[in-house]
Amino acid sequence: MPYVNIRVTREGVTPEQKRQLIEGATRLLVDVLGKNPATTVVVIDEVEMENWGVGGIPVDERRRNRP
Amino acid sequence: MPYVNIRVTREGVTPEQKRQLIEGATRLLVDVLGKNPATTVVVIDEVEMENWGVGGIPVDERRRNRP
Amino acid sequence: MPYVNIRVTREGVTPEQKRQLIEGATRLLVDVLGKNPATTVVVIDEVEMENWGVGGIPVDERRRNRP
Amino acid sequence: MPYVNIRVTREGVTPEQKRQLIEGATRLLVDVLGKNPATTVVVIDEVEMENWGVGGIPVDERRRNRP
Amino acid sequence: MPYVNIRVTREGVTPEQKRQLIEGATRLLVDVLGKNPATTVVVIDEVEMENWGVGGIPVDERRRNRP
Amino acid sequence: MPYVNIRVTREGVTPEQKRQLIEGATRLLVDVLGKNPATTVVVIDEVEMENWGVGGIPVDERRRNRP
């Protein structure tokens, strides 16, 4: 029954990578806590780079200033 | 003042269905807890099917394999 | 497969009220979107009143000032 | 290390406004709690107006009915 | 910079298991997406069983009825 | 109508600091986006240090190893 929410910047995550994130997060809950994979939910949120900030600066701006 | 977040897969939820979800969730908080509807917030997140996993598998893949 | 998160202030919500919130939110998703109740997850978060703010003021302070 | 999630309706928030939200939220955590800005994360979610409800009514409908 | 939120029912998760969840989720983001582990945040929420519902029923009630 | 969720480690945040976070986050939304403070909600989540990981390690363990 666990719920896992993975939030990353939107920058070309492929369907295969999403599949691996979902599979890996589910297996983690099974391996560590013995949870039932059938009821483990994983939701991936892809967030625009201008909407994600670290160090007080949007990620897209950080990238431009660090060539 | 309650905050309700409803997360579903993005597959053609209509504006009328969203209206019903918002109305129903608000009424639920009013009926069960006596909350003030004027300050009850409901936010619906529609998530791409390749971003939602159950049983370790993305929902879009599950659907393809279960004809 | 929907995921519903209900956040309310912590002020004596009873187990019976929680049961009603869980049942009502699940039925809402079934009725409006035809979702499968068996995989509908509802999580209630109870938040301390000093941790919840509206109008720029913590809820516990609002209550004290409005006799 | 704080994580701040700002959810607003999607109605033309500009990149400059997002920059200000990220900078302001980060500075708030630094000023009030002495947190390290380098590891403070701010994520802005823009939500379609038909997906956001207050008072049991979607925001876009509220706006139409209040000229 | 990813943010991972793992929500499970509160039923005796040990510090060592939490360590493994944090380590495993971080490694997953590094392995699949090449993310920087130093800025990957993992937050575990433990939710009371009476606050978590599946199938329209609180988890604690489900457990009692399935001996 | 914005919703702001501030998540920090639980380590003695005082009611006065919470008041400042709520006031500051609300004012930020008013100043930058012109939002109505009366319907701006701020929720602070305090997370146990063993439940929060950065760099693949729980925060409480990081602290012990960095005297």
Side-chain angles (χ1 to χ4, degrees):
Chain A
M1 248 154 356
Y3 171 79
V4 180
N5 184 210
I6 299 174
R7 311 201 89 186
V8 295
T9 44
R10 186 188 298 280
E11 37 188 331
V13 183
T14 67
E16 171 58 22
Q17 288 172 321
K18 292 174 182 179
R19 209 191 51 70
Q20 291 177 22
L21 289 174
I22 288 167
E23 186 189 342
T26 304
R27 199 170 41 214
L28 183 67
L29 273 293
V30 172
D31 288 351
V32 175
L33 297 181
K35 295 293 185 183
N36 179 0
T39 55
T40 296
V41 173
V42 181
V43 176
I44 301 167
D45 292 330
E46 297 172 278
V47 177
E48 300 300 326
M49 280 194 280
E50 67 182 30
N51 287 16
W52 191 299
V54 184
I57 299 171
V59 170
D60 59 344
E61 193 174 317
R62 277 170 84 97
R63 298 269 167 87
R64 282 198 303 273
N65 297 339
R66 295 183 171 179
Chain B
M1 248 152 358
Y3 171 80
V4 180
N5 184 210
I6 299 174
R7 312 201 87 187
V8 295
T9 43
R10 186 188 299 280
E11 36 188 332
V13 183
T14 67
E16 172 57 23
Q17 288 172 321
K18 292 174 183 180
R19 208 190 54 70
Q20 291 176 22
L21 290 175
I22 288 167
E23 187 188 342
T26 303
R27 199 170 41 215
L28 182 66
L29 273 293
V30 172
D31 289 350
V32 175
L33 296 181
K35 295 293 184 182
N36 180 359
T39 55
T40 296
V41 174
V42 181
V43 176
I44 301 166
D45 293 329
E46 297 173 278
V47 177
E48 300 301 325
M49 279 194 281
E50 66 182 30
N51 287 16
W52 192 298
V54 184
I57 298 171
V59 171
D60 59 343
E61 193 173 317
R62 278 170 83 97
R63 299 269 167 87
R64 282 198 304 272
N65 297 340
R66 295 182 171 181
Chain C
M1 249 151 356
Y3 171 80
V4 180
N5 184 210
I6 299 174
R7 311 201 88 187
V8 294
T9 43
R10 185 189 299 280
E11 36 188 331
V13 183
T14 66
E16 172 58 22
Q17 288 171 321
K18 293 175 182 179
R19 207 190 53 69
Q20 291 177 23
L21 289 175
I22 287 167
E23 186 187 342
T26 303
R27 198 169 44 214
L28 183 67
L29 273 293
V30 172
D31 289 350
V32 176
L33 296 180
K35 295 293 185 182
N36 179 0
T39 55
T40 296
V41 173
V42 181
V43 176
I44 301 166
D45 293 330
E46 296 172 278
V47 177
E48 300 300 327
M49 280 194 280
E50 66 182 31
N51 287 17
W52 191 298
V54 184
I57 298 170
V59 171
D60 58 345
E61 194 173 318
R62 276 170 85 96
R63 298 268 166 88
R64 282 196 303 273
N65 298 338
R66 294 181 172 182
Chain D
M1 247 150 358
Y3 171 80
V4 181
N5 184 210
I6 299 173
R7 312 202 87 186
V8 294
T9 44
R10 186 189 299 279
E11 37 188 331
V13 183
T14 67
E16 171 57 22
Q17 288 171 322
K18 292 175 182 178
R19 207 190 53 69
Q20 291 176 22
L21 289 174
I22 288 168
E23 187 188 341
T26 304
R27 199 170 40 215
L28 182 67
L29 273 292
V30 172
D31 289 351
V32 175
L33 296 181
K35 295 294 185 182
N36 179 1
T39 55
T40 296
V41 173
V42 181
V43 176
I44 302 165
D45 293 331
E46 296 172 278
V47 177
E48 300 300 326
M49 280 194 282
E50 67 182 30
N51 287 17
W52 191 299
V54 184
I57 299 170
V59 171
D60 58 345
E61 192 174 318
R62 276 171 85 94
R63 298 268 167 88
R64 282 197 303 273
N65 297 340
R66 295 182 171 181
Chain E
M1 245 152 358
Y3 171 80
V4 181
N5 184 210
I6 299 174
R7 311 201 88 187
V8 294
T9 42
R10 187 188 298 280
E11 36 188 331
V13 183
T14 67
E16 172 59 21
Q17 288 171 322
K18 293 175 182 179
R19 208 190 53 70
Q20 290 177 22
L21 289 174
I22 288 168
E23 186 188 343
T26 303
R27 199 168 42 214
L28 182 67
L29 273 293
V30 172
D31 288 351
V32 175
L33 296 181
K35 294 294 184 183
N36 180 0
T39 55
T40 296
V41 173
V42 181
V43 176
I44 301 167
D45 293 330
E46 297 172 277
V47 177
E48 300 301 325
M49 280 194 282
E50 67 182 29
N51 288 17
W52 191 299
V54 184
I57 298 170
V59 170
D60 59 344
E61 193 174 317
R62 277 171 85 94
R63 298 269 167 88
R64 282 197 302 272
N65 298 338
R66 293 182 172 182
Chain F
M1 248 150 358
Y3 172 79
V4 180
N5 185 210
I6 299 175
R7 312 201 88 186
V8 294
T9 43
R10 186 188 300 278
E11 36 188 332
V13 183
T14 66
E16 171 59 22
Q17 288 172 321
K18 293 174 182 179
R19 207 191 52 71
Q20 291 177 22
L21 289 175
I22 288 168
E23 186 188 344
T26 304
R27 198 169 43 213
L28 182 67
L29 273 293
V30 173
D31 288 350
V32 175
L33 297 181
K35 295 294 184 183
N36 180 359
T39 55
T40 296
V41 174
V42 181
V43 176
I44 302 167
D45 293 330
E46 297 172 277
V47 177
E48 300 300 326
M49 280 195 280
E50 66 182 31
N51 287 17
W52 192 299
V54 184
I57 298 171
V59 170
D60 59 344
E61 193 174 319
R62 276 171 85 95
R63 297 270 167 86
R64 282 197 303 273
N65 297 338
R66 294 183 172 180

